Amino acid sequence: MVIYKAKDYKDMSRKAANIISAQVIMKPNCVLGLATGSSPIGAYKQLIEWYEKGDLDFAEVKTINLDEYKGLSKESEQSYYYFMYHNLFEHININLNNTHIQNGMAKDEELECDRYNRIIHSLGGIDLQLLGLGHNGHIGFNEPDQAFEKDTHLVELAESTISANSRLFDNPDDVPRYAYTMGIKTIMQAKKILVIVSGEDKADIVKSAFFGPVTPKVPASILQMHNDVILVGDEAALSKVIN
Ligand code: F6R
């Protein structure tokens, strides 16, 4: 694992965007695995800026997102589709047909998971997977104690995840209890993994995920077994692992 220490959120975002840009430049038709949440917003902004300057071209890029809430439609402001569209896709020249997110409104959960797994397979796997890190060590919505070997599946969200995400909903009771997520197996099959972390509140989980035992109790700890992981964290998030 390579660790890059950034000064703050802005610097972390710029470093992460540099790594994503390098991937897009080296392989213009690459498959990017994308994440939502607070962590990647700055990196997406930076990518948009470089696109607007004419330094990046997303015309052939394909994307596949980690997760989506069950029960939310694309139009719902809290859906991850809405997040991706407004924080990235609508600002760059990506072909929306080449962007993929689970369908939160799918009637048949099993069919939806199969459909998603087939898409990942047909894309030939993921070149670069971007990940944020949950306070309980979740990656995607793979919560503690789930099997490591899964591909796309439906999960019941942990209470801590529901309360962390309730900040984005008007009413905490509106936070969906279930979500689709890419599984750990699929994430581990990505050729390269980029994890971004910011803030003092992530310092403990960074330490246990990357320097503690590999255990399903801390899903992100499995990343220690991947041979090409880059961790970009700001000083606060890395404060318990490097000086
Ligand atoms: C989002 C996702 C989640 C987040 C994690 C960290 O698509 O899969 O695992 O990456 O919850 O969220 P933030 O970045 O908001 O701290």
Side-chain angles (χ1 to χ4, degrees):
M1 181 176 57
V2 182
I3 304 180
Y4 291 117
K5 185 159 94 172
K7 268 204 303 292
D8 49 22
Y9 180 83
K10 193 161 184 229
D11 189 31
M12 173 200 79
S13 301
R14 197 180 162 83
K15 284 182 165 57
N18 255 310
I19 294 163
I20 300 168
S21 299
Q23 174 67 70
V24 171
I25 291 165
M26 302 277 282
K27 187 177 175 189
N29 64 347
C30 65
V31 179
L32 298 178
L34 298 179
T36 61
S38 313
S39 307
I41 291 179
Y44 293 156
K45 271 205 184 108
Q46 182 64 78
L47 291 173
I48 293 166
E49 219 178 289
W50 287 334
Y51 163 73
E52 285 169 349
K53 273 175 67 187
D55 291 342
L56 276 176
D57 181 6
F58 292 89
E60 291 177 63
V61 170
K62 293 157 217 156
T63 67
I64 182 107
N65 261 76
L66 281 168
D67 38 21
E68 178 61 284
Y69 287 118
K70 180 173 165 54
L72 296 191
S73 70
K74 284 180 168 185
E75 292 76 30
S76 160
E77 288 180 24
Q78 283 83 21
S79 77
Y80 286 174
Y81 180 87
Y82 189 97
F83 175 102
M84 288 310 303
Y85 185 77
H86 292 286
N87 284 295
L88 185 64
F89 299 154
E90 71 168 331
H91 305 287
I92 58 176
N93 66 332
I94 198 158
N95 178 345
L96 285 179
N97 293 326
N98 288 337
T99 66
H100 305 281
I101 303 186
Q102 296 94 336
N103 174 7
M105 299 305 284
K107 285 208 181 70
D108 186 315
E109 297 154 6
E110 240 171 81
L111 281 181
E112 178 54 16
C113 293
D114 280 357
R115 181 188 76 84
Y116 211 63
N117 289 328
R118 260 186 272 114
I119 292 173
I120 298 170
H121 191 73
S122 72
L123 293 173
I126 298 165
D127 291 299
L128 173 65
Q129 177 65 54
L130 177 64
L131 296 177
L133 179 63
H135 291 104
N136 61 1
H138 73 222
I139 47 177
F141 272 135
N142 295 283
E143 301 283 22
D145 284 328
Q146 281 182 48
F148 276 157
E149 67 272 13
K150 286 191 180 167
D151 39 29
T152 306
H153 58 290
L154 190 75
V155 287
E156 184 169 6
L157 301 179
E159 276 308 319
S160 60
T161 302
I162 293 171
S163 74
N165 291 2
S166 64
R167 69 188 193 279
L168 305 167
F169 290 77
D170 292 338
N171 180 344
D173 290 342
D174 293 343
V175 186
R177 266 38 194 171
Y178 290 87
Y180 290 101
T181 185
M182 208 185 261
I184 297 273
K185 178 175 143 195
T186 313
I187 293 172
M188 287 297 282
Q189 285 168 345
K191 295 187 186 99
K192 190 186 265 302
I193 296 179
L194 169 59
V195 188
I196 50 177
V197 275
S198 162
E200 208 187 328
D201 55 315
K202 295 277 174 82
D204 284 324
I205 193 63
V206 167
K207 188 171 177 194
S208 44
F210 296 103
F211 295 87
V214 175
T215 161
K217 292 193 186 321
V218 182
S221 65
I222 189 71
L223 299 173
Q224 294 178 41
M225 312 297 282
H226 193 282
N227 65 5
D228 195 355
V229 173
I230 304 175
L231 171 64
V232 182
D234 63 10
E235 281 173 8
L238 297 182
S239 58
K240 299 209 168 151
V241 296
I242 47 174
N243 297 316

